[in-house]
Amino acid sequence: KNLTRECLENAPVMMPFVSEEPDKLSNTYFRKLLKWYDRKVELGEVAFIPTDVAMVVDAGLRKHVQKFAKDEKSFFASFAS
């Protein structure tokens, strides 16, 4: 069983995943962080924890979020194996 399925099936509270496709690797997480930062998300669309929010609120970290949100090739170069 993969981690995504484990979290979906055994979570004590059901929270929405950031991605519409939780089993697919993409830069959606970073795009959603910026959408949240710009206050353009709908209620219940995403559920971030404080460490997620810190990455977009802190200017030094936000530049990395912006880079990965804008450039999926850069995201894959850093995270895909």
Side-chain angles (χ1 to χ4, degrees), residues 1-62:
K1 201 184 258 193
N2 70 31
L3 182 58
T4 301
R5 289 287 145 230
E6 183 68 28
C7 291
L8 284 171
E9 294 170 7
N10 297 316
V13 176
M14 295 302 289
M15 299 291 280
F17 270 86
V18 172
S19 173
E20 292 78 27
E21 298 177 281
D23 295 323
K24 179 183 173 192
L25 182 65
S26 75
N27 67 342
T28 300
Y29 169 78
F30 296 99
R31 290 186 285 119
K32 294 282 187 167
L33 271 175
L34 291 178
K35 188 176 177 184
W36 174 88
Y37 185 72
D38 292 335
R39 304 296 189 256
K40 294 180 180 177
V41 294
E42 299 292 324
L43 183 63
E45 181 179 347
V46 295
F48 293 121
I49 61 175
T51 52
D52 297 325
V53 171
M55 289 196 323
V56 75
V57 172
D58 180 271
L61 295 172
R62 187 171 51 251

